[in-house]
């Protein structure tokens, strides 16, 4: 009978050995496959159609499989990716002209790269340009914004590759055509009509692995909705051949799980734009920095406090200036973000070529702030809170997105430093859905609202500063001038910035705009956010850009160390 | 029984119809609509764009009219289009429903397989070492937050030992073994998170049953302890547990949110959550209705189980 006993200890030992030896071996076999790169991001694109739903995750994936006509490069200069030359006023490939109704317009000459072909071998031609224009300007298509397409009054086609756009207005940033997202006429024209249902029928969602939709170094070969997108080299790509035989972009929305997946070797890298926040990256670097490359790239994400200018307290510019003098933004940057997120003195990033560094700056000076508040009629009152002559306390709400750890930390520091000045700040946070969907977009905040703007280099801040862009019920809450800032001087400067293109005059306008912003302070600048990229030590060639055109626009430069 | 089932089915349909309107109205009350979110995200978005898209998606119409349009389409089998996934709603929900059924189904079965014997063992020897050990484990499982359990599981079994993938699901065409590897951790964590509660219910119910007169009579007749427990007490003790399982059916269906998020498991909980936050009205509505439907189904199954477990009950008692 003894021999028939179940050998549990032995069985357990065998099972443990299998798990301990065989499973890790399986896992490692995958991890060390250097022909394959697995990238972790925290959001999944809602669509791969280039003209629907503007989102970073989609830009990141699409940049590997299709190229925009122009983008901003690593030095934040406009460059051609699909065209051969940028239109230029000096070369007469950009010209001023009159529109049919007699207004000032522009003609812009472009030529598509003659080597460019869709992934099924069909050449990329001006037929695609015309089809894209038709889709973009059609009122029922449902594209995010048809503004660019509507500005194009007509297109002259010269041959298969050369065309001229006739624009309805003059503009100094005429060279860029990044939002003109080329579509394959030979595939998409068959599903375009009726336009109102185009979004439901587009092949970018119904047949995303169709090679004819793509023309980048890679093409999408598999989409697992919500989970992953697989890309493989496009054999018809005309540029430098990419290194990796397969790139998998995996979505893991929880950032703690994202890190765990990286440590477990299930993903190789975490992208910066849609990955970890700066505090998470700093914490990761402390513990695992030796095993990975951690890159911090400050960029065009401008963290600031929008001011409700209809609040009688905050409508006084002296109070706004005092508020800025009363907070130590340098210490916030150094202590909370290890100095990786530079202090902002305005909304234009110092890395931007149009940045003006000699405008007013508000360094930390609590005694000056106190003096300014005294002069503004807010002397210190009982209980350490300042009150005006009517007895009204100097108090307002400070709002941001609930659950955003970095913002909530900054918020507490601000509250504490302003408290020392005799300002009573109440923190009132809301879920992002409510905060952006209602409170900010419909201008319902009554004090300060902390959030970030993401813009392009040399972007004229018309939508946030022009008085025509104040959201109201009458204009269906369109526009992003949530503070309600209205200044004739600023309006004129912004208008001129779009029209006065002579370099010296244009530079002066940028200076004036930034000076006005710093003097009027419709928003209180905090810092420029940095994106944190966590890459394996063996990966090279990844160059974060800091702007909205991601590093994957140059994915063919990515390779591995020997 | 047929009359009973038909009556309950009608009741369920009525509840679903009322719930569909309530959910639609509540979603409509949420701040902002999809176009508002586009306005906030896109500086080039003009009021003309907003008006054009609101008209295109029917968002400029009154709530009742929108609900009427949706209901008419839904009765015709068209549950609308998901804005977040750019697919018909049913195409989005189908695979996720299967994933959730797999995750929750196996986890529920494992939880019960563990909870019932553990609860019986603890109740059979109250205040013994076994009882204390079972209770301690239960409280540990109940009090440990699922996201922490998930993280610890990932750190131990994926990062340190390298036994299982840290998350995600096996890609299409992968082997069954790969599928199992991906499922072990989420199922394990969900089981650990729910087994404690079920065990406590089982223990309490069995303790109460073992104090009943008929148990004393059975023991007095000379039956063994095992026979008393498994032959007489178990069926009675299972009744409250069935109620708890039935009530938690809908929650299990839609509430594995944390486990799904931590393991990047594409299931219903995460889908409903994303749909609500992303203003995907159609997807949120159908997802929530399915959760309601599962709760109702759970209750019908519970009623049937009561009759199967307790011979004193029959379907006629339910009939008017």
């Amino acid at each position: 009978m003894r021999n028939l006993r179940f050998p549990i200890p032995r069985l357990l030992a065998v099972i443990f050995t299998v798990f301990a030896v065989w499973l890790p071996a399986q896992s490692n076999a995958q991890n060390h496959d250097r022909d394959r790169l697995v990238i972790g991001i925290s959001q999944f694109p809602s669509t791969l159609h280039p003209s629907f739903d503007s989102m970073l995750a989609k830009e990141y994936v699409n940049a590997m499989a299709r190229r925009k006509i122009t983008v901003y490069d690593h030095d934040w200069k406009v460059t051609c990716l699909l065209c051969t030359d940028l239109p230029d006023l000096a070369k007469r490939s950009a010209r001023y002209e009159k529109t049919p109704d007699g207004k000032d317009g522009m003609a812009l000459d472009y030529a598509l790269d003659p080597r460019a072909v869709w992934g099924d071998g069909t050449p990329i031609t001006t037929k695609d340009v015309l089809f894209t224009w038709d889709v973009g300007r059609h009122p029922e298509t449902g594209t995010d914004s048809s503004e660019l397409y509507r500005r194009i009054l007509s297109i002259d086609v010269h041959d298969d590759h050369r065309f001229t756009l006739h624009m309805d207005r003059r503009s100094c940033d005429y060279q860029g055509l990044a939002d003109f997202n080329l579509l394959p006429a030979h595939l998409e024209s068959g599903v375009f009509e009726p336009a109102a249902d185009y979004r439901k029928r587009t092949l970018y969602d119904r047949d995303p692995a169709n090679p004819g939709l793509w023309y980048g170094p890679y093409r999408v070969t598999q989409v697992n909705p919500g989970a992953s997108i697989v890309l493989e080299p496009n054999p018809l790509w005309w540029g430098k051949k990419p290194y990796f035989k397969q790139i998998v972009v995996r979505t893991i929305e929880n950032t703690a799980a994202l890190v765990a997946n990286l440590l477990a070797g299930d993903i190789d890298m975490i992208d910066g734009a849609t990955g970890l926040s700066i505090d998470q990256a700093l914490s990761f670097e402390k513990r695992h920095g030796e095993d990975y490359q951690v890159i911090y790239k400050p960029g065009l994400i401008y963290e600031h406090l929008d001011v409700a200018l209809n609040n009688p307290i905050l409508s006084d510019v002296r109070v706004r200036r005092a508020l800025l003098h009363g907070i130590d933004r340098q210490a916030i940057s150094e202590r909370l973000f290890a100095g990786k997120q530079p202090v902002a003195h305005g909304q234009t990033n110092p890395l931007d070529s149009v940045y003006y560094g000699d405008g007013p700056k508000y360094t930390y000076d609590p005694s000056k702030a106190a003096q300014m508040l005294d002069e503004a009629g807010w002397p210190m009152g009982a209980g350490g809170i300042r009150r005006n002559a009517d007895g009204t306390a100097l108090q307002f709400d400070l709002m941001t997105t609930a659950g955003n750890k970095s913002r909530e930390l900054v918020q507490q520091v601000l509250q504490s430093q302003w408290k020392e000045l005799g300002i009573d700040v109440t923190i009132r946070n809301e879920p992002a859905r409510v905060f952006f969907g209602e409170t900010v977009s419909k201008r319902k905040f009554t004090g300060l609202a902390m959030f970030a703007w993401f813009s392009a280099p040399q972007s004229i801040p018309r939508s946030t500063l022009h008085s025509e862009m104040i959201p109201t019920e009458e204009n269906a809450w369109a526009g992003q001038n949530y503070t309600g800032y209205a200044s004739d001087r600023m309006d004129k400067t912004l208008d001129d910035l779009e029209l006065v293109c002579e370099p010296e005059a244009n530079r002066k306008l940028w200076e004036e705009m930034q000076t006005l912003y710093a003097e009027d302070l419709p928003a209180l600048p905090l810092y420029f956010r940095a994106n944190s990229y966590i890459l394996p030590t063996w990966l090279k060639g990844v160059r974060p850009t800091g702007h909205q055109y991601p590093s994957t626009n140059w994915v063919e430069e990515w390779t591995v160390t020997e | 029984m047929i009359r009973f089932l038909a009556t309950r089915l009608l009741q369920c349909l009525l509840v679903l119809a009322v719930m569909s309107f309530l959910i639609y109205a509540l979603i409509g009350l949420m701040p902002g609509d999809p176009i508002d979110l586009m306005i906030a995200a896109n500086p080039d978005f003009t009021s003309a764009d907003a008006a054009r898209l609101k008209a295109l998606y029917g968002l400029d119409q009154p709530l009742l009219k929108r609900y009427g349009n949706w209901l008419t389409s839904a009765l015709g089998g068209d549950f609308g289009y998901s804005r977040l996934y750019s697919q018909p709603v049913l195409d989005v929900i189908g695979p996720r429903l299967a994933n959730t059924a797999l995750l929750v189904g196996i986890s529920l079965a494992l939880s019960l397989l563990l909870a019932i014997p553990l609860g019986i063992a603890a109740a059979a020897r109250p205040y013994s070492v076994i009882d204390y050990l079972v209770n301690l484990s239960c409280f540990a499982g109940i009090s440990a937050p699922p996201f922490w359990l998930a993280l610890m599981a990932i750190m131990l079994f994926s990062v340190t030992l390298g036994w299982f993938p840290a998350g995600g699901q096996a890609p299409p065409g992968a082997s069954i073994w790969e599928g199992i590897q991906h499922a072990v951790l989420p199922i394990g964590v969900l089981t650990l998170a729910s087994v404690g509660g079920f065990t406590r219910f089982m223990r309490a119910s069995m303790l109460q049953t073992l104090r009943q007169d008929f148990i004393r009579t059975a023991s007095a007749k000379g039956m063994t302890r095992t026979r008393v427990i498994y032959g007489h007490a178990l069926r009675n003790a299972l009744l409250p547990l069935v109620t708890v399982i039935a009530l938690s059916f809908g929650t299990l269906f839609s509430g594995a949110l944390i486990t799904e998020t931590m393991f990047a498991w594409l299931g219903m909980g995460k889908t409903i959550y994303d749909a609500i936050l992303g203003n995907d009205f159609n997807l949120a509505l159908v997802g929530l209705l399915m959760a309601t439907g599962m709760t109702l189904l759970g209750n019908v199954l519970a009623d049937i189980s009561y009759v199967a477990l307790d011979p004193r009950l029959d379907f006629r008692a339910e009939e008017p």
Side-chain angles (χ1 to χ4, degrees):
Chain A
M1 284 296 284
R2 286 172 67 88
N3 291 341
L4 293 177
R5 275 174 131 188
F6 201 61
I8 290 176
R10 280 186 198 173
L11 185 66
L12 286 175
V14 169
I15 291 172
F16 185 83
T17 308
V18 167
F19 276 97
V21 177
W22 189 72
L23 282 179
Q26 291 287 306
S27 173
N28 288 338
Q30 281 187 343
N31 294 347
H32 296 149
D33 183 0
R34 294 276 164 83
D35 289 342
R36 182 172 182 262
L37 182 71
V38 185
I39 305 171
I41 60 175
S42 61
Q43 62 174 201
F44 193 85
S46 58
T47 173
L48 290 179
H49 191 290
S51 294
F52 294 132
D53 292 359
S54 168
M55 59 194 302
L56 287 171
K58 186 183 74 176
E59 293 295 328
Y60 190 79
V61 172
N62 275 6
M64 293 189 257
R66 60 186 308 283
R67 290 288 153 88
K68 288 173 177 289
I69 294 177
T70 66
V71 292
Y72 282 93
D73 63 14
H74 295 97
D75 301 321
W76 297 20
K77 301 273 189 303
V78 182
T79 187
C80 268
L81 286 187
L82 193 59
C83 52
T84 53
D85 280 305
L86 293 172
D88 191 336
L89 281 166
K91 293 178 185 168
R92 296 283 300 148
S93 53
R95 300 171 298 281
Y96 293 135
E97 64 180 10
K98 289 290 179 189
T99 63
D101 55 359
K103 291 180 183 164
D104 289 333
M106 268 188 117
L108 307 170
D109 296 338
Y110 285 95
L112 299 172
D113 189 325
R115 299 170 298 169
V117 289
W118 297 99
D120 58 2
T122 308
I124 295 177
T125 67
T126 41
K127 277 184 195 159
D128 301 310
V129 173
L130 290 175
F131 173 69
T132 303
W133 183 46
D134 284 342
V135 173
R137 68 190 169 130
H138 198 292
E140 291 185 345
T141 311
T143 51
D144 282 5
S145 169
S146 52
E147 182 65 12
L148 167 71
Y149 301 105
R150 277 202 303 265
R151 285 185 179 185
I152 301 170
L153 294 175
S154 62
I155 300 179
D156 292 339
V157 169
H158 307 300
D159 56 33
D160 274 355
H161 299 106
R162 293 185 308 118
F163 59 99
T164 300
L165 303 180
H166 295 280
M167 311 300 290
D168 71 344
R169 68 194 70 178
R170 292 180 185 178
S171 168
C172 297
D173 59 349
Y174 61 86
Q175 289 188 309
L177 202 57
D179 291 339
F180 197 97
N181 294 303
L182 216 55
L183 300 171
H186 66 293
L187 294 177
E188 289 286 277
S189 59
V191 295
F192 179 53
E193 294 291 351
D197 286 334
Y198 172 53
R199 178 162 185 167
K200 296 177 186 171
R201 292 196 312 270
T202 173
L203 297 181
Y204 282 98
D205 293 325
R206 294 182 65 182
D207 184 19
N210 188 325
L213 299 170
W214 310 107
Y215 57 93
Y218 289 89
R219 61 186 176 86
V220 173
T221 55
Q222 194 180 314
V223 175
N224 306 310
S228 63
I229 295 171
V230 181
L231 299 110
E232 286 170 7
N234 172 9
L236 299 179
W237 166 245
W238 57 92
K240 182 180 176 181
K241 296 294 169 204
Y243 174 81
F244 293 101
K245 289 182 181 160
Q246 189 180 63
I247 291 183
V248 180
V249 180
R250 268 190 63 193
T251 301
I252 301 163
E253 295 189 11
N254 182 280
T255 47
L258 197 60
V259 169
N261 273 265
L262 181 72
L263 293 173
D266 288 356
I267 58 174
D268 297 312
M269 61 175 271
I270 298 177
D271 170 57
T274 57
L276 304 187
S277 64
I278 193 85
D279 52 311
Q280 289 169 322
L282 286 167
S283 161
F284 179 89
E285 189 180 17
K286 270 185 200 162
R287 297 171 66 186
H288 308 286
E290 287 179 3
D291 303 325
Y292 295 87
Q293 309 173 56
V294 183
I295 302 172
Y296 300 94
K297 180 73 182 178
L300 285 162
I301 307 172
Y302 168 52
E303 283 283 352
H304 67 284
L305 297 157
D306 253 17
V307 182
L309 294 175
N310 53 3
N311 180 324
I313 297 173
L314 297 169
S315 63
D316 185 342
V317 72
R318 293 171 299 178
V319 174
R320 301 202 293 273
R321 288 173 186 165
L323 287 176
L324 216 42
H325 273 306
I327 51 175
D328 192 351
R329 291 172 293 163
Q330 191 61 44
I332 290 173
S333 171
E334 281 166 13
R335 289 184 199 156
L336 295 185
F337 309 124
K340 307 287 186 194
Q341 308 205 114
V343 171
H345 296 291
Q347 66 166 18
T348 311
N349 191 301
L351 296 172
D352 202 328
S353 61
V354 296
Y355 174 72
Y356 174 57
D358 294 334
K361 290 188 175 70
Y362 301 87
T363 49
Y364 180 52
D365 190 344
S367 47
K368 189 173 180 181
Q371 185 191 341
M372 290 169 85
L373 288 172
D374 287 341
E375 287 167 8
W378 295 98
M380 190 64 86
I385 299 297
R386 291 174 181 272
R387 291 179 187 277
N388 65 8
D390 301 333
T392 307
L394 180 48
Q395 60 181 26
F396 49 81
D397 288 343
L398 172 56
M399 304 183 74
T400 192
T401 44
N404 184 316
K405 198 177 151 200
S406 298
R407 285 191 185 138
E408 286 175 343
L409 277 173
V410 172
Q411 205 177 26
Q412 285 164 20
V413 176
L414 299 183
Q415 185 190 38
S416 152
Q417 293 187 338
W418 281 331
K419 177 87 178 167
E420 285 172 21
L421 271 178
I423 303 167
D424 182 18
V425 172
T426 307
I427 290 175
R428 198 162 65 82
N429 293 342
E430 291 176 342
R433 177 76 174 65
V434 181
F435 184 67
F436 291 118
E438 192 78 8
T439 305
V440 171
S441 60
K442 294 186 179 165
R443 301 178 55 224
K444 289 184 176 170
F445 61 102
T446 57
L448 303 176
M450 189 196 300
F451 60 96
W453 284 127
F454 192 32
S455 62
Q458 298 151 43
S459 166
I460 300 168
R462 185 182 179 81
S463 72
T464 54
L465 296 177
H466 201 287
S467 61
E468 287 175 1
M469 303 305 279
I470 299 173
T472 60
E473 194 157 8
E474 290 70 39
N475 69 9
W477 305 107
Q480 294 177 319
N481 185 348
Y482 301 133
T483 64
Y485 175 59
S487 155
D488 291 341
R489 261 182 79 194
M490 181 62 89
D491 286 356
K492 184 168 184 334
T493 308
L494 293 170
D495 290 340
D496 289 349
L497 265 174
E498 291 190 345
L499 299 172
V500 180
C501 307
E502 191 275 315
E504 186 54 26
N506 187 266
R507 187 182 60 77
K508 284 195 170 154
L509 285 169
W510 276 107
E511 287 177 11
E512 184 174 355
M513 189 280 290
Q514 290 168 69
T515 306
L516 262 178
Y517 186 89
E519 284 173 359
D520 290 353
L521 290 178
L524 308 183
L526 292 176
Y527 53 87
F528 289 105
R529 216 157 73 194
N531 285 331
S532 41
Y533 298 77
I534 300 180
L535 314 175
T537 49
W538 46 262
L539 180 65
K540 63 178 186 181
V542 180
R543 289 179 63 198
T545 62
H547 52 62
Q548 80 271 44
Y549 303 106
S551 51
T552 45
N553 272 296
W554 297 271
V555 68
E556 61 272 32
E557 305 293 338
W558 296 10
T559 182
V560 300
T561 50
E562 292 299 321
Chain B
M1 180 171 173
I2 291 170
R3 194 171 167 191
F4 164 79
L5 286 177
T7 311
R8 293 306 300 265
L9 188 65
L10 275 176
Q11 287 172 349
C12 290
L13 286 175
L14 188 67
V15 172
L16 276 178
V18 173
M19 283 301 291
S20 74
F21 177 72
L22 285 177
I23 294 170
Y24 199 96
L26 287 173
I27 291 175
L29 283 177
M30 288 198 310
D33 58 36
I35 311 303
D36 292 331
L37 294 185
M38 284 187 194
I39 292 172
N42 189 342
D44 294 330
F45 214 87
T46 63
S47 52
D49 285 327
R52 172 176 59 88
L53 291 182
K54 285 200 178 189
L56 189 64
Y57 297 132
L59 295 168
D60 57 343
Q61 294 171 348
L63 185 77
L64 266 179
K65 186 153 193 287
R66 274 156 47 197
Y67 174 71
N69 291 342
W70 177 84
L71 191 63
T72 311
S73 302
L75 291 174
D78 176 8
F79 287 86
Y81 195 74
S82 163
R83 204 181 63 79
L84 278 184
Y85 296 93
S86 299
Q87 287 177 6
V89 164
L90 290 186
D91 289 0
V92 177
I93 287 198
R96 284 163 172 76
L97 194 60
N99 289 339
T100 293
L102 184 77
L103 180 69
V104 169
I106 296 178
S107 158
L108 183 63
L110 283 176
S111 299
L112 294 177
L113 277 175
L114 287 169
I116 292 173
L118 284 174
I120 293 171
R125 295 175 189 80
Y127 311 110
S128 65
V129 175
I130 290 176
D131 189 24
Y132 284 125
L133 277 176
V134 169
N135 279 334
L136 191 70
S137 311
C138 288
F139 287 128
I142 292 166
S143 20
F147 75 87
W148 180 82
L149 269 181
L151 260 186
M152 290 302 106
I154 292 171
M155 293 310 287
L156 178 62
F157 294 107
S158 302
V159 178
T160 308
L161 298 171
W163 288 4
F164 303 108
Q169 285 161 287
S175 64
I176 294 175
W177 174 240
E178 237 181 304
I180 293 172
Q181 276 186 301
H182 280 84
V184 167
L185 287 186
I187 288 174
V189 166
L190 202 57
T191 303
L192 276 179
S194 55
V195 72
F198 288 141
T199 306
R200 291 287 302 163
F201 272 112
M202 189 64 217
R203 178 186 176 277
S205 176
M206 182 58 85
L207 266 180
Q208 206 171 11
T209 308
L210 288 175
R211 290 189 194 118
Q212 302 284 321
D213 289 343
F214 73 90
I215 296 293
R216 202 173 303 124
T217 308
S219 298
K221 279 161 65 181
M223 283 184 183
T224 60
R225 183 77 172 158
T226 309
R227 196 162 168 211
V228 168
I229 289 173
Y230 290 98
H232 293 267
L234 182 59
R235 279 163 70 121
N236 288 276
L238 279 176
L239 284 171
L241 190 67
V242 166
T243 309
V244 172
I245 295 168
L247 288 175
S248 57
F249 215 61
T251 319
L252 279 171
F253 174 79
S254 60
L257 170 66
I258 293 167
T259 313
E260 288 174 4
T261 307
M262 294 303 293
F263 291 103
W265 185 273
L266 297 177
M268 285 303 294
K270 185 80 177 64
T271 304
I272 294 172
Y273 177 80
D274 287 342
I276 291 171
L277 285 193
N279 248 335
D280 193 339
F281 288 178
N282 292 333
L283 188 58
L285 180 62
V286 176
L288 288 168
L289 275 180
M290 284 207 165
T292 310
M294 294 305 283
T295 308
L296 295 171
L297 178 70
N299 278 284
V300 173
L301 290 176
D303 286 343
I304 296 171
S305 305
Y306 291 151
V307 176
L309 289 169
D310 189 344
R312 291 168 298 180
L313 299 174
D314 63 43
F315 291 113
R316 277 170 300 179
E318 291 279 332
E319 292 169 9

